[in-house]
Amino acid sequence: MPVHATHDMFPGAHHDEQARQDFVRMFKLKVQSEIGPGNRLLYEKKVKPAFERANDRAPKSRSELRRAMGGEPYNKMWGALLRTSQELLYESVGPSVERQLPELQNRAAGFAGKRGTLELDAALKIPSYHAAVNIHCKPGGYHSELHADNDIFAGAEYDRTVHMYLMGAMGSNNDDFGRSAARWLKRAHPEIRVRRVLDMGCTIGHSTLAWCDEFPDAEIHAIDVAAPCLRYAHARAEAMGKTVHFHQMNAEHTSFEAGSFDVVVSHIMMHETSTKALPRIYKECRRLLRPGGITMHLDARFVGENIYDQYQQEWDSHYNNEPFFGTLCDTDLVGAARAAGFAASDIDERFIPSHYKPRGGLEAPINDAKKGDYFMLSALR
């Protein structure tokens, strides 16, 4: 299935580029739908029983399981193909976007500043947890610039690669995290008057724009450290007729006034930070919230006895340049929120259902066996 444009900033592809990208999509689908289940079967039928015989217990941690799985030829094949599929995303999309970059940047200039705003900070220091590795194996990461002037390459490339990576699972505009979070907030806390929202780690604003739709009277702000993504995010929002104020800031310490937001939210940002940064981010969230406001952080996180799923996040940490993804499984997020000043009675961990998946999971507390689609930690101010 080809990737289709949903707005006027979306990078296109000519016939040969589309053919290469279609191959990558089908390659990823093959790995995920046919080879991936075999790796789980390998764990259940061979690796876990062998581990139990040798240790008189099942594996207790993701790192234990990574070592146990590491020598298995099938697991090595699965990992090599998965890593290759990730690299092929950028190899098939990057040259295509670079070919049309002058046109895209002209388009971006035409859209700029018609509704929302864009504020960049050339002096902002990129956090080491981004600068030290190419996140997601993307060459140069998301903050690197190809051109000295108004570069949007990383943002445009991300918009198309994420369509390929998610294969439609997040909706045509990949906004399922934002839409699911906003609709949960309406159901769970109708008493909160949402006048001002901050989206942390917005990348190109996929989830941010859902908040524009769900709360059309609210003032929406979004921050990220990556200037190329923010430039593209601004142009993309303008092209889609959405009013968002984008700022280049580090979520650990923003320049917004204390008590200036009703909602501070992040969508799949927690695993892109670090064990040191995350507590500081929670503390900043509390500082930014008005009394009666709420902070909400959604991510992909497996907890409890689901060791094989944790192993897959462990694999991402070691082989897909996601350094904090595995650690997030066993990070005490409630403890971090309490240390930031939130009362224990106001903190909640749960799984919430996807808006787009017709048979998505159920909303459930963290200790419930019936788990929803997205993990969320929330805390009331």
Side-chain angles (χ1 to χ4, degrees), residues 1-7 10-11 18 25 160 163 172:
M1 180 185 297
V3 178
H4 294 293
T6 60
H7 55 83
F10 195 75
Q18 185 68 64
R25 284 163 58 90
R160 196 166 181 94
H163 268 272
S172 59

Side-chain angles (χ1 to χ4, degrees), residues 261-272:
F261 290 96
D262 302 291
V263 179
V264 178
V265 64
S266 76
H267 313 88
I268 211 154
M269 181 192 74
M270 287 191 293
H271 79 268
E272 306 289 13

Side-chain angles (χ1 to χ4, degrees), residues 73-96:
Y74 190 96
N75 179 71
K76 290 181 178 181
M77 177 191 69
W78 165 79
L81 293 174
L82 196 58
R83 170 64 183 249
T84 298
S85 74
Q86 186 73 5
E87 293 174 350
L88 286 175
L89 283 175
Y90 307 113
E91 291 183 14
S92 64
V93 173
S96 171

Side-chain angles (χ1 to χ4, degrees), residues 19 34 78 88 102 124 144 199 241-242 249 282 297 309 330 343 379:
E34 297 184 28
W78 165 79
L88 286 175
L124 181 72
S144 297
D199 181 13
K242 312 296 182 185
M249 293 183 188
Y282 282 6
H297 301 276
D309 286 331
D330 43 36

